Amino acid sequence: NILIIAAVIVLLLAAYVFAVNYTPAEDTTPSPTPAAENIVVFETDSAQITKIAFDSPTPFALVKNGDTWYIEGNSAEIVQSSAFSILYNAAYISATTEIKKAENLADFGLDKPSASVTVYHGDSITKLLLGSKTPTDNYYYFKLDGDSKVYTISAYTADLFFKTPSSVRDLNVISLSTDEIAGIEISSPSNTLKVVKNTDAAKADEKSYTSLTKWSVVSPFNQIAAEERVNEKLLTPLSSINAESVAADGAASLAKYNLNTTVKIQAADKTYSLK
C-alpha cells in the first residue's frame, strides 16, 4: 500500500510540473478575413409596393390589385410566384462597392442608362438606373435617379432590369410522360404523319391506341417504326413543350403567324391539339 501511495504521489507531482511548465505551440493558422458587407442602396417594405415599371428591353409594368399581381393593361393570368420574386428583388438593392470619384456619368454608362426600373412604394416613387458593365464584366454600374452616388452591383442583382412580360407568364405548353403517349399525328398542308402503338389495332380502327412496346407508322404509309427514332424525334420533344415567350394574347388574326401545321397527341383518354 505504501508503494502504491508513493507511486501516485510521484505521478501527481510529475503532472503538476508538466502543467506548470507546458507552453502550447503558437497557432499559426491565419484568421479568415471578414467578408466585406454589402452596401444597402435602396430598401423598402415589399408590402408597400403597388407597381413596378420596366422600360427595357420590353416596356411593361406589374401592378398590384388586392393580393394579386397583373401585367398592366393585360388581364392574362401570370405566375404569381414569379411576380413576388421580382417584387422582393425590387424592394432591396445592395451594392458591392461605391465609386468614390464619379463626376462623369458617361464613364459608367449612366448619362444615358441602358435600363431603368421604377418602384412605386407608399407615397414615394424611386427610379433605379442601370449603367454599363464594369471592365471585369461581372458587375454593372448603378445609381438612384436624383442621387449623385454611383455603385457597382452584381450581375445577379442587375437581372431585375432585364425582366420582360414573359418573365412572369406561364410558358409551359404541355408536360407529359412519354409513357402516356399512345399516338401522334402531325398534319401540314403537304403531308400527314401518324404513328401509333400496336399496328394491328390501328389498322382495324385508327382511333384505337392500345399500349404495346412497338410503334407503327399508319400514314402516309404503313410500316413498323424504329422505336429509338420515335423516342428521339417525337416522344421526347413533344412530351415537354415550353414557349420562349408570349407572342400575342387573343390575336385578332392568326394568319400572320403561319400556324399551318397541326399536331395531335393522344395520351390516355385525352387528345391534345397544337398548332
Side-chain angles (χ1 to χ4, degrees), residues 89-205:
N89 288 337
Y92 179 86
I93 302 292
S94 65
T96 53
T97 58
E98 179 186 341
I99 306 300
K100 296 302 182 182
K101 295 182 180 181
E103 292 85 359
N104 187 4
L105 293 179
D107 294 339
F108 312 100
L110 287 165
D111 56 331
K112 297 179 180 179
S114 58
S116 70
V117 174
T118 305
V119 181
Y120 297 74
H121 52 112
D123 297 326
S124 302
I125 299 175
T126 303
K127 193 171 187 179
L128 317 174
L129 305 178
L130 187 72
S132 56
K133 281 187 174 182
T134 64
T136 58
D137 225 29
N138 296 322
Y139 299 90
Y140 286 81
Y141 295 112
F142 167 90
K143 72 184 293 290
L144 297 177
D145 191 29
D147 189 351
S148 60
K149 294 180 180 178
V150 175
Y151 304 90
T152 61
I153 60 175
S154 67
Y156 173 82
T157 303
D159 181 65
L160 172 69
F161 292 85
F162 302 103
K163 299 300 182 184
T164 67
S166 293
S167 301
V168 292
R169 296 295 297 270
D170 184 359
L171 300 180
N172 179 261
V173 178
I174 192 170
S175 181
L176 295 168
S177 166
T178 55
D179 294 334
E180 295 180 68
I181 300 176
I184 297 171
E185 181 178 324
I186 304 175
S187 302
S188 68
S190 60
N191 194 15
T192 296
L193 169 67
K194 186 174 181 180
V195 296
V196 297
K197 287 180 179 179
N198 185 1
T199 304
D200 293 333
K203 287 180 179 177
D205 177 6

Side-chain angles (χ1 to χ4, degrees), residues 2-247:
I2 294 175
L3 291 176
I4 294 173
I5 293 172
V8 170
I9 292 173
V10 170
L11 287 173
L12 290 173
L13 287 173
Y16 173 77
V17 172
F18 176 78
V20 169
N21 294 283
Y22 174 70
T23 302
E26 183 180 355
D27 185 4
T28 58
T29 305
S31 301
T33 302
E37 292 186 4
N38 285 342
I39 305 166
V40 179
V41 181
F42 172 70
E43 184 176 14
T44 188
D45 183 358
S46 60
Q48 297 296 314
I49 298 178
T50 56
K51 180 177 177 179
I52 307 171
F54 302 82
D55 78 339
S56 180
T58 305
F60 78 105
L62 289 175
V63 292
K64 186 179 182 182
N65 185 356
D67 293 327
T68 306
W69 286 89
Y70 297 93
I71 295 175
E72 190 172 46
N74 190 325
S75 60
E77 291 186 7
I78 65 174
V79 180
Q80 292 299 306
S81 59
S82 298
F84 277 102
S85 176
I86 292 174
L87 167 68
Y88 298 138
N89 288 337
Y92 179 86
I93 302 292
S94 65
T96 53
T97 58
E98 179 186 341
I99 306 300
K100 296 302 182 182
K101 295 182 180 181
E103 292 85 359
N104 187 4
L105 293 179
D107 294 339
F108 312 100
L110 287 165
D111 56 331
K112 297 179 180 179
S114 58
S116 70
V117 174
T118 305
V119 181
Y120 297 74
H121 52 112
D123 297 326
S124 302
I125 299 175
T126 303
K127 193 171 187 179
L128 317 174
L129 305 178
L130 187 72
S132 56
K133 281 187 174 182
T134 64
T136 58
D137 225 29
N138 296 322
Y139 299 90
Y140 286 81
Y141 295 112
F142 167 90
K143 72 184 293 290
L144 297 177
D145 191 29
D147 189 351
S148 60
K149 294 180 180 178
V150 175
Y151 304 90
T152 61
I153 60 175
S154 67
Y156 173 82
T157 303
D159 181 65
L160 172 69
F161 292 85
F162 302 103
K163 299 300 182 184
T164 67
S166 293
S167 301
V168 292
R169 296 295 297 270
D170 184 359
L171 300 180
N172 179 261
V173 178
I174 192 170
S175 181
L176 295 168
S177 166
T178 55
D179 294 334
E180 295 180 68
I181 300 176
I184 297 171
E185 181 178 324
I186 304 175
S187 302
S188 68
S190 60
N191 194 15
T192 296
L193 169 67
K194 186 174 181 180
V195 296
V196 297
K197 287 180 179 179
N198 185 1
T199 304
D200 293 333
K203 287 180 179 177
D205 177 6
E206 289 193 354
K207 294 182 180 180
S208 174
Y209 298 91
T210 56
S211 180
L212 295 180
T213 57
K214 298 297 181 182
W215 286 83
S216 293
V217 178
V218 296
S219 179
F221 47 79
N222 290 309
Q223 180 177 317
I224 297 294
E227 195 163 356
E228 67 276 7
R229 297 284 284 171
V230 173
N231 283 321
E232 176 189 359
K233 299 296 184 181
L234 296 175
L235 299 183
T236 298
L238 290 178
S239 63
S240 180
I241 300 175
N242 290 284
E244 290 291 335
S245 63
V246 177

